[in-house]
Amino acid sequence: MLKSILLISLVLTSLSQYLWNPPDVISKGPELIIKPLNELPTSLFWGNINGKNYLTVSRNQHIPEYCGACWAFATASTLSDRFKILRNAQWPDINISPQVLLSCDMIDRGCFGGRPLNAYEYIFNNGITDETCLAYQARGRTNGLDCEKLGPCYTCDYNGNCYTPDNYLLYNVTGYQRIVGVEQMVNALQSGPIACGLDSTPDFHAYKGGIFNDTTNSMRLTHFVSLVGYGVENGVDYWIGKNSWGTYWGEGGFFKIVKGRNNLGVENECSYPTPDPNIRRVHNKNSKSYEEIVPLSKSLFLESEKQSQQKFEPLKHKTCRVPQSNYHGKERITSPRAQDTITTVPISWDWRNISNINYLSWTRNQHIPQYCGSCWAHGPTSSLADRINIMTNNSFPQLSLSPQVVINCNGGGSCDGGDSFAVYEFGHKHGIPDDTCQQYIAKNPLVTECSDIQICMDCVPPSPMPGQKSNCSAVKNPKLWYVGDYGHIAGANSMKAEIYKNGPISCGISVTSDFEAYTGGIFSQVTLFPQINHEVSVVGWGVNNGVEYWIGRNSWGTAWGINGFFYIRMYRDNLAIETDCDWGIPDLDRSR
Ligand SMILES: *[C@@H]1O[C@H](CO)[C@@H](O)[C@H](O)[C@H]1NC(C)=O
Ligand SMILES: *[C@@H]1O[C@H](CO)[C@@H](O)[C@H](O)[C@H]1NC(C)=O
Ligand SMILES: *[C@@H]1O[C@H](CO)[C@@H](O)[C@H](O)[C@H]1NC(C)=O
Ligand SMILES: *[C@@H]1O[C@H](CO)[C@@H](O)[C@H](O)[C@H]1NC(C)=O
Ligand SMILES: *[C@@H]1O[C@H](CO)[C@@H](O)[C@H](O)[C@H]1NC(C)=O
């Protein structure tokens, strides 16, 4: 009898009531050590600790469809940020995948709600991958995207086969704690962001800036966010929150709310995970699965120079970038080129680590959720985002630029390939928003019209069931990032000058099957008739035992190469990487 009542009440339970139930799991691992509040700093913001930003990139849970995934984003954000703190913001940022939680965590309810404490327990038992292994698709196990369909990591080739990479990285937590009330929250924030529940009232939805102060006393637990700091302004104490509703919400995606009044119930249920410094590399080649621990402290660089095996197998990837000789896009040059002004450069230069600062934006995988030949859009958008980070001294917030908007607007091509130079022209004429306006879906639009909704969008409840579509509309006047000057470049010395002065550039390369199979070391392969068929970004150079090499960024996910990056021998025009490059200079004054 009691059992059936429980069952019925469980079925009838609405989402918010479900969230009121005590969590199934509370805490694991070392307990929080509590210090009196007067011994702790009176303000703290993880976006700016002595000038360094420890917060990973902002996200939007409501695109490309509405999904009640706040709990997965709050979990992924606190864990990603805490990894960044643990690693002192060194390259690379780790962006934990909320999609794994939506599809694989069986305690929570996918797009219909969940809680971070359950999610940490899932991660503790299973580990979790990053965004380039399982990209956000705004669907979960309760509305059409099962874990079995995806696994924790996959990528796709141009035949439409999706498969688990030979090896990929798995992240874990060593424990997690539930915390309640100001004293515990402030103490927990000393080690990094915390995930907190609150009531997302209509006023909170409409928040535009300032210190939010609810006067309705509404405290239902309907939403989860990450708290990333606290402070005091004109005598008013506040928390600083990171939401997952895009940068067009609130203050660039962030908010302030009064502290010490349990406003919106924000002090009722908080929690934080402790990241495991032992990152595992899962090998699953020839169905023999084993794991290896990759120590974070050790450089991922492999010393040996690998000789290419010259296998010339069929390529897994199709041509995604046309050689520029086909187009001859016109440059825009209003001030002297770096190659004409810079006469000497250092023997090594690496934008992943200039005086211990990593200036690079996040790593991408162009081939998920399905194959898409959009390298031509990824190379330039990542180089431009990196350059904006450089121009702003890597200050908060961390930026990404949307390759999907460039595809939606035919700013150079489609998933069937394109012209990277045109992306800089597009950035100059139209501007490019960040990824929270348009999720990368690896698809051509049905109609390429560059309409408002194809540039920036938002979707409203409910989370759609299988076969249903979400209710989405355009967000007007989003923040756009513009390009000023842009040009072509070729030759090692000119490339070095440009990279040194202004930041990463994007380059066409002639990909071979050996390059596709690259796992580390300095790659070297000179082919007889190189054909530019792919676009990458070049972020620096170095020298190892007298061998000079480029440091390249690919867009094939972190499972490929060295965390998605590669080293390739300089000067002999390996894979034609010194032949056909482009650059653009962000115009911050014009960027609204
Ligand atoms: C840039 O940020 C670093 C800390 O990350 C700081 O030491 C340096 O002074 C800043 N430089 C400028 C020009 O603001
Ligand atoms: C995660 O770490 C915990 C504690 O170190 C360990 O017990 C657990 O097996 C790990 N999980 C995975 C999937 O490796
Ligand atoms: C917030 O609103 C309450 C009334 O509900 C008021 O008493 C309090 O002073 C306000 N706090 C701030 C900081 O405005
Ligand atoms: C970054 O470069 C500095 C030298 O500028 C070096 O001491 C440090 O070990 C490097 N960090 C990493 C993670 O390689
Ligand atoms: C879609 O959402 C808008 C509010 O953004 C609402 O006015 C409209 O009625 C909704 N349409 C449907 C079909 O639910």
Side-chain angles (χ1 to χ4, degrees):
M1 179 65 186
L2 187 67
K3 225 177 185 174
S4 63
I5 290 171
L6 273 176
L7 198 72
I8 290 164
S9 67
L10 199 74
V11 171
L12 295 179
T13 296
S14 74
L15 167 63
S16 54
Q17 279 166 332
Y18 157 70
L19 290 173
W20 270 114
N21 294 340
D24 302 293
V25 285
I26 305 289
S27 292
K28 250 192 184 133
E31 268 178 40
L32 177 65
I33 296 162
I34 299 287
K35 281 191 185 165
L37 289 180
N38 60 11
E39 286 178 20
L40 296 172
T42 51
S43 68
L44 172 77
F45 174 44
W46 283 105
N48 183 354
I49 305 282
N50 301 322
K52 216 167 194 173
N53 173 22
Y54 289 90
L55 300 179
T56 52
V57 71
S58 277
R59 307 292 310 267
N60 187 352
Q61 67 178 92
H62 295 151
I63 58 167
E65 295 190 289
Y66 184 85
C67 172
C70 60
W71 61 277
F73 278 85
T75 302
S77 180
T78 45
L79 184 53
S80 302
D81 294 348
R82 280 178 175 259
F83 265 117
K84 190 162 180 169
I85 293 162
L86 177 74
R87 306 182 61 247
N88 197 23
Q90 287 168 7
W91 175 86
D93 272 15
I94 293 164
N95 293 281
I96 296 297
S97 164
Q99 186 61 50
V100 172
L101 299 172
L102 294 174
S103 289
C104 306
D105 167 359
M106 301 304 280
I107 304 173
D108 293 304
R109 299 183 182 182
C111 288
F112 299 97
R115 61 198 324 148
L117 280 164
N118 296 336
Y120 306 143
E121 175 66 10
Y122 170 84
I123 297 169
F124 186 88
N125 290 320
N126 301 279
I128 193 161
T129 53
D130 71 26
E131 184 70 16
T132 71
C133 268
L134 213 55
Y136 182 56
Q137 292 186 64
R139 294 258 173 171
R141 64 177 189 88
T142 49
N143 63 347
L145 262 193
D146 285 348
C147 196
E148 296 85 67
K149 285 192 198 143
L150 308 163
C153 192
Y154 78 98
T155 192
C156 306
D157 68 21
Y158 83 93
N159 290 317
N161 300 321
C162 295
Y163 56 93
T164 304
D166 289 344
N167 65 75
Y168 59 89
L169 297 170
L170 199 64
Y171 307 92
N172 191 6
V173 297
T174 55
Y176 48 86
Q177 295 292 322
R178 183 186 193 195
I179 47 177
V180 179
V182 174
E183 187 177 61
Q184 292 187 3
M185 289 163 72
V186 170
N187 272 277
L189 272 164
Q190 304 308 314
S191 60
I194 58 180
C196 293
L198 56 72
D199 194 351
S200 61
T201 59
D203 285 347
F204 184 73
H205 272 270
Y207 170 84
K208 297 234 170 351
I211 301 173
F212 186 85
N213 182 20
D214 169 70
T215 51
T216 67
N217 289 323
S218 199
M219 292 194 187
R220 297 178 319 140
L221 179 46
T222 55
H223 185 48
F224 278 102
V225 296
S226 163
L227 294 191
V228 298
Y230 56 86
V232 55
E233 213 171 272
N234 300 326
V236 180
D237 283 308
Y238 59 83
W239 302 109
I240 306 170
K242 181 185 185 188
N243 206 348
S244 46
W245 293 349
T247 58
Y248 52 72
W249 180 86
E251 293 183 359
F254 287 72
F255 65 98
K256 290 177 184 151
I257 184 169
V258 289
K259 170 172 163 253
R261 300 180 158 269
N262 201 15
N263 210 252
L264 298 180
V266 71
E267 288 148 18
N268 271 343
E269 185 181 316
C270 300
S271 60
Y272 66 92
T274 304
D276 186 344
N278 295 317
I279 294 171
R280 278 158 228 265
R281 186 176 288 281
V282 179
H283 297 258
N284 61 314
K285 215 171 183 174
N286 311 325
S287 70
K288 257 187 23 205
S289 177
Y290 68 99
E291 294 184 3
E292 158 200 17
I293 291 177
V294 191
L296 278 172
S297 50
K298 221 173 135 192
S299 159
L300 291 161
F301 181 54
L302 303 178
E303 295 289 317
S304 61
E305 180 175 7
K306 281 217 176 127
Q307 285 305 312
S308 146
Q309 279 127 53
Q310 308 276 354
K311 285 185 297 209
F312 296 113
E313 285 166 357
L315 291 179
K316 279 184 180 157
H317 307 99
K318 219 176 178 165
T319 295
C320 59
R321 199 273 219 185
V322 293
Q324 242 120 64
S325 50
N326 296 5
Y327 283 88
H328 295 297
K330 197 170 171 299
E331 299 179 304
R332 180 179 192 271
I333 309 287
T334 61
S335 47
R337 295 170 195 261
Q339 70 208 55
D340 299 331
T341 54
I342 302 283
T343 47
T344 50
V345 295
I347 53 160
S348 65
W349 190 258
D350 182 355
W351 283 111
R352 297 175 307 171
N353 179 6
I354 301 292
S355 309
N356 285 307
I357 296 177
N358 165 32
Y359 288 90
L360 300 194
S361 54
W362 63 347
T363 305
R364 314 292 301 250
N365 185 356
Q366 67 179 90
H367 296 137
I368 54 170
Q370 60 274 312
Y371 185 83
C372 170
S374 60
C375 62
W376 60 273
H378 276 84
T381 48
S382 78
S383 303
L384 287 168
D386 298 346
R387 284 178 169 218
I388 293 167
N389 286 337
I390 293 166
M391 289 172 86
T392 58
N393 194 22
N394 217 31
S395 60
F396 166 85
Q398 162 85 281
L399 185 75
S400 68
L401 289 182
S402 172
Q404 188 64 45
V405 168
V406 185
I407 296 169
N408 290 352
C409 292
N410 194 10
S414 68
C415 283
D416 309 308
D419 171 14
S420 55
F421 188 75
V423 178
Y424 296 102
E425 288 176 324
F426 177 81
H428 178 69
K429 289 200 182 103
H430 301 274
I432 305 171
D434 72 32
D435 275 281
T436 68
C437 266
Q438 206 70 231
Q439 172 74 13
Y440 180 66
I441 57 171
K443 258 192 207 157
N444 291 331
L446 290 177
V447 205
T448 308
E449 51 189 9
C450 204
S451 56
D452 288 349
I453 196 172
Q454 289 183 335
I455 295 170
C456 195
M457 67 188 284
D458 194 13
C459 309
V460 293
S463 302
M465 292 309 290
Q468 286 180 347
K469 274 197 169 163
S470 197
N471 180 1
C472 304
S473 56
V475 172
K476 294 281 170 64
N477 303 317
K479 183 177 172 97
L480 298 173
W481 298 88
Y482 287 91
V483 177
D485 280 10
Y486 51 93
H488 298 292
I489 197 166
N493 291 333
S494 297
M495 287 163 66
K496 279 185 182 174
E498 179 61 35
I499 294 167
Y500 176 65
K501 177 151 185 248
N502 295 316
I505 60 176
S506 56
C507 291
I509 64 169
S510 167
V511 162
T512 60
S513 53
D514 300 296
F515 183 75
E516 288 181 334
Y518 171 83
T519 55
I522 301 173
F523 187 85
S524 131
Q525 188 173 43
V526 180
T527 53
L528 211 50
F529 303 106
Q531 286 280 330
I532 299 290
N533 58 7
H534 184 52
E535 179 87 356
V536 295
S537 166
V538 178
V539 305
W541 66 88
V543 54
N544 186 50
N545 293 331
V547 176
E548 287 188 88
Y549 58 86
W550 297 113
I551 302 162
R553 171 211 272 277
N554 206 348
S555 46
W556 292 349
T558 57
W560 182 86
I562 302 164
N563 248 290
F565 282 60
F566 62 97
Y567 303 102
I568 190 167
R569 205 177 164 133
M570 197 189 285
Y571 288 127
R572 290 189 300 154
D573 200 19
N574 283 275
L575 302 184
I577 197 169
E578 289 153 16
T579 306
D580 191 347
C581 302
D582 336 285
W583 54 270
I585 296 181
D587 183 344
L588 296 189
D589 292 337
R590 222 181 128 204
S591 305
R592 280 177 282 132

